[in-house]
Amino acid sequence: MYDSIIIGAGPAGISASLYLKRANKNVLVLYYGQSELEKAHKIDNFYGFPNGISGKDLYQNGINQAKNLGVQVSNEEVLNIQMNEDFCYNVITSKNTYKSKTVIIATGNKKLKPNISGIEKFEGMGVSYCAICDGFFYRKKDVVVLGNELYAVSEAEELLNVTPNVTILTNGKEMKENTNIKVNTKKIEKILGDERVSGILFSDGEILNCNGVFVAEGVAGGSNFAKKLGIYTDGDKIVVDENMQTNAPGIYACGNLVGGLLQINKAAYEGAMAGLAAVKYINEKR
Ligand SMILES: Cc1cc2nc3c(=O)[nH]c(=O)nc-3n(C[C@H](O)[C@H](O)[C@H](O)COP(=O)(O)OP(=O)(O)OC[C@H]3O[C@@H](n4cnc5c(N)ncnc54)[C@H](O)[C@@H]3O)c2cc1C
């Protein structure tokens, strides 16, 4: 049982880990996929670097700083978070399931919506972002999952609990994971339907009839986890209070995924706030 699991090793997640570890808490940082920070060629507006620093170096420095302090850091893709009855959490990754008293979500920006005609029109009317939340409505029906990586496979596996008719659509991309689930790699033209989704039109004119479209592209982001846990969101952003607390007890969110100024200073500040709030919560729970 960890005191805190932090998802994300960017400025928000690493700052949170430093405050938790210095308060003697048992912390695990999980990270997978590219951080926004790594994309920055040169950072010139962050305190303490008179000649600037590359985003890649600053990102790695952050991870090394946490490790030097004794924080456990692991390169694992987080696929799901589940709440237990005792308000502790299971964090499910590509390799393990971990248990924690608190979770800090610091996964940066992730655009949930792929650029496919009909996605927005049919949201809530056949287009879903969460298999565990909405799968039940598609018992024995035909559903498709949009994506080509492990997260898409994990969402498709969740749907197999309610219907055998699940197809993964990669929309022209190569399928990156091995799976026994049916995969179709054709490029998608649009989602079809009147009031609700009725099918998928591929670029070659073929139509695949289906009742549900589950979006699971790339790596799961903070708002995917939020939807699974019933955490309030505003579009792709997670809603938090001034202490970075979400509406779920013991779950915090910080950095780019809560919106506002998309800069390192703000992500680091919010990480610190989330870490301190989690320390208080863990102590009160004890
Ligand atoms: C090109 C570019 C230039 C920029 N220049 C500047 C600048 O000059 N100054 C400035 O202040 N800001 C700059 N920024 C913005 C800055 O990089 C971000 O504001 C900052 O990195 C946000 O930090 P974060 O911790 O919220 O998210 P990120 O840094 O994006 O970190 C997200 C973390 O979450 C992890 N993750 C995501 N999903 C999962 C999952 N499912 N499982 C496990 N781990 C996951 C990722 O691996 C990563 O470790 C720039 C951004 C870009 C793209």
Side-chain angles (χ1 to χ4, degrees):
M1 169 77 87
Y2 286 94
D3 289 316
S4 195
I5 290 181
I6 298 166
I7 310 171
I14 290 295
S15 298
S17 79
L18 300 178
Y19 281 81
L20 275 148
K21 190 67 194 175
R22 286 164 58 94
N24 218 12
K25 302 302 175 208
N26 186 14
V27 192
L28 170 65
V29 174
L30 299 166
Y31 71 104
Y32 183 85
Q34 209 179 21
S35 147
E36 286 284 295
L37 187 53
E38 286 177 287
K39 296 183 202 161
H41 174 65
K42 195 175 179 199
I43 308 286
D44 261 337
N45 59 356
F46 187 60
Y47 174 82
F49 293 92
N51 302 313
I53 182 167
S54 82
K56 228 177 195 156
D57 287 348
L58 190 57
Y59 183 66
Q60 199 50 54
N61 285 353
I63 292 175
N64 292 343
Q65 185 181 1
K67 283 184 178 167
N68 289 347
L69 197 64
V71 173
Q72 202 184 326
V73 183
S74 183
N75 188 209
E76 286 174 53
E77 180 178 0
V78 176
L79 299 168
N80 201 355
I81 310 169
Q82 292 169 343
M83 187 191 274
N84 297 323
E85 284 151 14
D86 50 359
F87 288 123
C88 289
Y89 295 91
N90 285 340
V91 176
I92 298 156
T93 76
S94 46
K95 300 178 187 162
N96 289 299
T97 296
Y98 301 101
K99 209 167 177 195
S100 183
K101 293 176 193 162
T102 62
V103 176
I104 298 179
I105 307 174
T107 48
N109 272 337
K110 189 204 171 197
K111 206 171 136 283
L112 273 182
K113 287 179 195 142
N115 193 15
I116 296 173
S117 169
I119 288 269
E120 272 185 27
K121 178 178 167 194
F122 292 114
E123 270 171 13
M125 304 301 282
V127 169
S128 167
Y129 295 88
C130 176
I132 202 153
C133 321
D134 297 334
F136 183 74
F137 302 116
Y138 297 90
R139 269 170 301 162
K140 301 207 172 111
K141 294 194 172 165
D142 297 314
V143 295
V144 299
V145 176
L146 303 184
N148 65 329
E149 298 184 37
L150 184 59
Y151 181 51
V153 174
S154 97
E155 288 289 271
E157 282 171 352
E158 189 68 50
L159 289 166
L160 284 176
N161 293 323
V162 292
T163 176
N165 310 318
V166 182
T167 309
I168 296 174
L169 305 184
T170 70
N171 191 18
K173 294 181 196 141
E174 176 202 345
M175 186 66 199
K176 290 190 180 162
E177 282 295 317
N178 285 330
T179 175
N180 293 327
I181 299 167
K182 212 187 307 165
V183 175
N184 182 329
T185 58
K186 281 187 190 176
K187 190 119 186 71
I188 297 170
E189 185 68 30
K190 66 195 277 199
I191 298 172
L192 301 172
D194 260 334
E195 285 185 5
R196 293 193 61 87
V197 168
S198 65
I200 300 286
L201 172 66
F202 293 104
S203 302
D204 64 2
E206 195 197 324
I207 290 175
L208 176 69
N209 292 328
C210 67
N211 311 100
V213 176
F214 287 80
V215 181
E217 292 205 329
V219 175
S223 39
N224 297 106
F225 302 135
K227 284 187 166 65
K228 290 178 204 298
L229 288 162
I231 290 174
Y232 299 145
T233 52
D234 174 10
D236 286 356
K237 296 181 204 107
I238 295 185
V239 176
V240 289
D241 68 11
E242 67 279 8
N243 294 315
M244 305 295 122
Q245 164 80 61
T246 69
N247 59 303
I251 300 224
Y252 305 83
C254 49
N256 276 17
L257 90 169
V258 302
L261 184 71
L262 304 181
Q263 291 278 284
I264 302 163
N265 279 306
K266 183 257 196 192
Y269 162 78
E270 288 180 351
M273 291 301 287
L276 288 170
V279 168
K280 191 162 176 272
Y281 176 89
I282 295 158
N283 289 344
E284 281 168 4
K285 208 171 171 179
R286 186 180 54 197

